[in-house]
Amino acid sequence: MFRRLLIANRGEIACRVIRTARDMGIRTIAVYSDADTGARHVDMADEAYRIGPALVADSYLSVERILAVARESGAEAIHPGYGFLSENAEFAEACTVAGIVFVGPSPSAIRAMGSKIEAKTLAQEAGVPVVPGYNGLSQGRGDLKAAADEIGYPVMIKASAGGGGRGMRMVREASLFDDALDSASREAKAAFGDGRVLIEKFIARPRHIEVQVFGDTHGNIVHLFDRDCSVQRRHQKIVEEAPAPGLSEALRKAMGEAAIEVARRVDYVGAGTVEFIVDRDAVPDDGGFYFLEMNTRLQVEHPVTEMVTTAVDLVEWQLLVAAGEPLPFQQKGIRLYQHAVEVRIYAEDYRRDFLPSTGRLDHLVFPGHRLVRIDTGVREGDTVTRHYDPMIAKIISEGRTRSQAIANLQRSLMEIEIIGPATNLPFLIAVLGHPSFQDGDVDTTFVHLHRAELMAASELPGTDAQILAGVYEALVDRDCAGQEPDPYSPWRRRDGWRGFGRAPVLHQFRDGENDATVSVEWDGDALLLGLPDDTYRVSGKVTDGGTVQAILGRRTIKGRVIERGLERHVLIDGRARCLVLRGPDAPFAQGEASGGKLTAPLPAAVVRVHVEAGATVARGAPLMVLEAMKMEHVITAPSDGVVAVVHFAVGQQVDEGAELVVLDAPADGSTGGAE
Ligand code: ADP
Ligand code: ADP
Ligand code: MG
């Protein structure tokens, strides 16, 4: 076994690899960019080397710099994690040339599977069903268009080199094909340096089911069963589970065998995943599954497989195989036990189309729970930057049954406290609690289909938040010594005592766009809370500095109130609301009346401008295309109107909140967008 392993990655996956390597007695070597000085993976490793600036091209994607560190540190092997260089055949080759073991498959296997066009051809040769479509070599617009017409709309245009859901466009009808092709190909070129695409039949309600495979250098290839990753947004997974619920044994077996066949075509060595989509509308039992792609690396969601196949540590297997040892188990020795579910907590705003958000994790608490595993790369005080993937943590739970695993996960998620960037935590809790999810009635349209319900369930009701904030303000023991030295002085009391009777104390909060005044008055041992909607008689308690309980008749509200300056972050069961106390000088809410202005939702680059000043646009018309985090965001007209000003041109950088375009009311004076 190796004695020194370099981990060419960051975040949770670097931490995950370090954990196993350390258990195996291997010395771990981390690399980091300037944005990751003092990051968790840097602290966890035995040694750490700076590789460059925040920009990935000059740090985590720099083959040269990583190999230089490997040589300098005497690393015998490099684990690439996922993302970054993990599926880069040139890197794998360069490692071999440098005499360092690349923990992963051969460069030729990576190369073959890195192209969805070639991978599909290989799967077809192996007799494995693929999604009907065009994976030919010609990339002429005419050929692609003709293929789409022949497949029949809707079709899916996919980047051949794609990953992470990028460079993928669903096209509803022929007239939209050209634009979608340009956009997919441009995004693919920017993200992967390869604009080639393939066209597939769009499967309306597919389940995403994938099979974990593993090969060794002795010719053994096994599978470790399946995972269902159908809950997705932006074609990217947010909830994963193993095994796939409701899969018949026949289908499970057929998919496992098909996955092995695909892996065999490229003499696969190491951990890999063969992804399929299963058409819910197709015949049950053994039909209706199609090969999608193969990921030639460890997958983000590998922990659910580890949890349901006893005593398997996939990173340990990777290292054993990379060191030339045979797989520890043969197929018949690998059994499926229990159930596991994982969610990915991302710094992103589910209210704004799941756009990534950034910022410092001012407060971060993960619960400890025997049946729950937490894989994270951050700690309180760390910052989620726009340079890297905005995943904060993966929370994985197990249970004897699916419903137990879900229940365990729900409970743990509700105990998580995050203050800083917006996160999808409440949305994930809403997904797990949704009756269709609980019934296993899930396909890739799930988020879209139930969006309104899920969003509503993610919101913490304003009244509950105001009640807890009111109780907190009334009861929290603040040290007022600076203002009143006498500890027994009535002037230290915060209960509205005035020397001539009690008066309500008014707390003026800003709650999002609105002002909310909460008046607090004592009534015997109880509090009378006057809220914008009603008055409540509450008996309250504050413990541990911020655990708040409010009993209103038969109902009890429990939560946490975390104070940050004038902010009162109210957290109840994983949902959050921030109330900002109006300080003596703070202005009242302005109301975000942005009129006809259109602002950048995040820091980005302008890649396309669709309009110029004077143009008349209809509501929903694309105005500008931004690119950030390798994804395109289309800025559309919120109403009919006339473009007054376009502030940016292609190639320019825009800051979050920057005004991009100004729209005037339509020239004919109609209000527009009134439906
Ligand atoms: P998975 O099914 O394992 O999520 P994906 O193809 O979606 O597979 O990508 C794996 C992960 O790697 C994703 O979380 C993605 O955001 C991340 N990733 C992919 N490419 C990069 C990159 N160049 N830099 C950083 N992270 C990346
Ligand atoms: P990536 O490399 O980005 O992971 P995949 O080919 O694995 O791309 O597809 C990602 C997701 O996109 C799938 O899980 C599925 O939800 C959706 N998808 C891909 N191809 C199709 C298709 N032909 N029809 C419907 N949905 C699809
Ligand atoms: Mg995929």
Side-chain angles (χ1 to χ4, degrees), residues 9-10 12-13 56 60-61 81-87 116 162-166 191-192 208 210 227 229 232 235-237 240 273 275 293 295 297-302 342 344 346 387-391 630:
N9 215 301
R10 62 180 301 282
E12 67 90 15
I13 189 59
V56 290
Y60 297 107
L61 285 177
Y82 57 71
F84 295 131
L85 296 170
S86 60
E87 293 176 282
K116 288 195 209 278
R166 291 182 304 244
F192 315 108
H208 175 115
E210 57 187 33
R227 298 185 283 254
C229 315
Q232 305 179 347
H235 306 301
Q236 265 261 281
K237 306 155 185 173
E240 297 113 335
T273 296
E275 296 189 333
E293 64 161 343
N295 292 326
R297 55 173 160 83
L298 193 67
Q299 200 102 338
V300 176
E301 56 275 21
H302 74 278
E342 168 180 293
R344 304 187 189 186
Y346 279 105
H387 299 293
Y388 312 116
D389 189 83
M391 191 164 75
K630 303 230 167 81

Side-chain angles (χ1 to χ4, degrees), residues 4 23 43 89-90 135 141 150 180 203 217 219 225 230 249-250 349 381 439 460 468 543 587:
R4 302 173 69 80
D23 288 350
D43 286 354
E90 286 75 48
N135 47 314
R141 183 183 295 271
E150 184 172 333
I203 311 280
T217 50
F225 298 99
S230 298
E249 278 317 305
D349 194 345
D439 288 348
L460 175 59
L468 288 199
T543 49

Side-chain angles (χ1 to χ4, degrees), residues 423-627:
T423 79
N424 64 348
L425 175 64
F427 192 84
L428 294 168
I429 294 172
V431 169
L432 297 182
H434 194 281
S436 297
F437 180 81
Q438 300 223 333
D439 288 348
D441 176 14
V442 170
D443 58 54
T444 62
T445 66
F446 179 85
V447 167
H448 183 74
L449 201 63
H450 303 295
R451 188 139 175 180
E453 261 174 279
L454 295 170
M455 300 253 283
S458 306
E459 268 342 279
L460 175 59
T463 304
D464 289 11
Q466 289 157 13
I467 288 173
L468 288 199
V471 169
Y472 178 83
E473 287 306 312
L475 299 184
V476 76
D477 187 22
R478 279 209 181 67
D479 187 359
C480 303
Q483 288 142 35
E484 176 51 60
D486 174 5
Y488 299 104
S489 162
W491 304 112
R492 287 197 57 164
R493 293 169 60 173
R494 302 184 71 252
D495 57 2
W497 181 87
R498 285 181 166 185
F500 52 85
R502 287 163 186 221
V505 179
L506 292 186
H507 300 286
Q508 286 172 329
F509 293 106
R510 181 173 167 177
D511 183 359
E513 316 267 277
N514 304 310
D515 287 313
T517 300
V518 178
S519 72
V520 181
E521 194 177 350
W522 284 97
D523 177 22
D525 285 342
L527 289 165
L528 286 181
L529 298 181
L531 265 53
D533 69 333
D534 208 346
T535 299
Y536 298 84
R537 193 166 192 281
V538 173
S539 98
K541 195 161 84 181
V542 179
T543 49
D544 311 331
T547 302
V548 184
Q549 204 181 69
I551 304 171
L552 304 82
R554 285 159 56 202
R555 179 164 174 242
T556 301
I557 308 174
K558 286 186 198 167
R560 301 259 301 147
V561 177
I562 294 157
E563 198 175 319
R564 285 281 176 278
L566 292 175
E567 294 170 2
R568 301 292 180 268
H569 295 268
V570 183
L571 311 178
I572 302 178
D573 290 344
R575 294 170 306 168
R577 211 161 171 121
C578 174
L579 305 182
V580 185
L581 206 52
R582 191 184 161 220
D585 308 320
F588 260 105
Q590 308 277 297
E592 231 78 332
S594 52
K597 290 181 190 167
L598 285 152
T599 53
L602 74 180
V606 178
V607 293
R608 198 160 185 197
V609 177
H610 283 281
V611 290
E612 49 188 46
T616 303
V617 293
R619 176 180 167 197
L623 304 176
M624 200 178 262
V625 183
L626 303 181
E627 193 214 271

Side-chain angles (χ1 to χ4, degrees), residues 123-372:
Q124 282 167 313
E125 285 166 10
V128 171
V130 301
V131 187
Y134 172 82
N135 47 314
L137 292 179
S138 162
Q139 290 288 306
R141 183 183 295 271
D143 288 344
L144 293 171
K145 184 80 195 297
D149 291 342
E150 184 172 333
I151 295 161
Y153 291 89
V155 298
M156 195 77 146
I157 303 180
K158 290 162 78 166
S160 179
R166 291 182 304 244
M168 199 180 293
R169 298 286 182 281
M170 193 267 258
V171 193
R172 231 171 256 293
E173 55 181 56
S175 67
L176 302 170
F177 184 85
D178 283 341
D179 272 356
L181 175 62
D182 289 342
S183 161
S185 157
R186 195 172 49 230
E187 187 172 297
K189 186 97 183 110
F192 315 108
D194 176 355
R196 286 180 305 149
V197 299
L198 64 162
I199 319 272
E200 282 181 357
K201 170 107 204 115
F202 179 76
I203 311 280
R205 299 196 62 185
R207 286 176 68 181
H208 175 115
I209 299 180
E210 57 187 33
V211 176
Q212 175 74 56
V213 295
F214 229 107
D216 64 19
T217 50
H218 305 266
N220 304 302
I221 300 184
V222 299
H223 73 77
L224 292 97
F225 298 99
D226 41 277
R227 298 185 283 254
D228 187 312
C229 315
S230 298
V231 181
Q232 305 179 347
R233 48 98 189 91
R234 298 177 171 282
H235 306 301
Q236 265 261 281
K237 306 155 185 173
I238 48 176
V239 180
E240 297 113 335
E241 60 181 293
L247 205 64
S248 71
E249 278 317 305
L251 190 49
R252 168 160 294 133
K253 188 158 174 287
M255 291 176 73
E257 283 166 4
I260 290 180
E261 276 319 305
V262 171
R264 252 191 231 300
R265 294 298 298 188
V266 288
D267 298 323
Y268 200 78
V269 171
T273 296
V274 180
E275 296 189 333
F276 297 97
I277 52 182
V278 176
D279 189 350
R280 289 187 71 174
D281 300 328
V283 265
D285 289 352
D286 59 355
F289 73 90
Y290 305 107
F291 170 84
L292 207 51
E293 64 161 343
M294 178 168 190
N295 292 326
T296 53
R297 55 173 160 83
L298 193 67
Q299 200 102 338
V300 176
E301 56 275 21
H302 74 278
V304 291
T305 297
E306 295 183 325
M307 277 194 171
V308 297
T309 44
T310 25
V312 169
D313 177 332
L314 293 175
V315 173
E316 182 187 7
W317 282 31
Q318 283 188 297
L319 295 171
L320 292 174
V321 165
E325 294 184 33
L327 287 173
F329 286 92
Q330 301 198 322
Q331 189 66 59
K332 62 179 184 325
I334 301 169
R335 298 255 172 74
L336 197 52
Y337 297 86
Q338 315 207 94
H339 203 93
V341 186
E342 168 180 293
V343 294
R344 304 187 189 186
I345 301 180
Y346 279 105
E348 66 182 21
D349 194 345
Y350 62 87
R351 292 188 198 85
R352 299 199 305 171
D353 201 25
F354 303 97
L355 282 186
S357 79
T358 55
R360 184 174 182 273
L361 294 157
D362 281 331
H363 176 88
L364 182 65
V365 176
F366 290 120
H369 191 301
R370 194 171 56 84
L371 297 173
V372 173

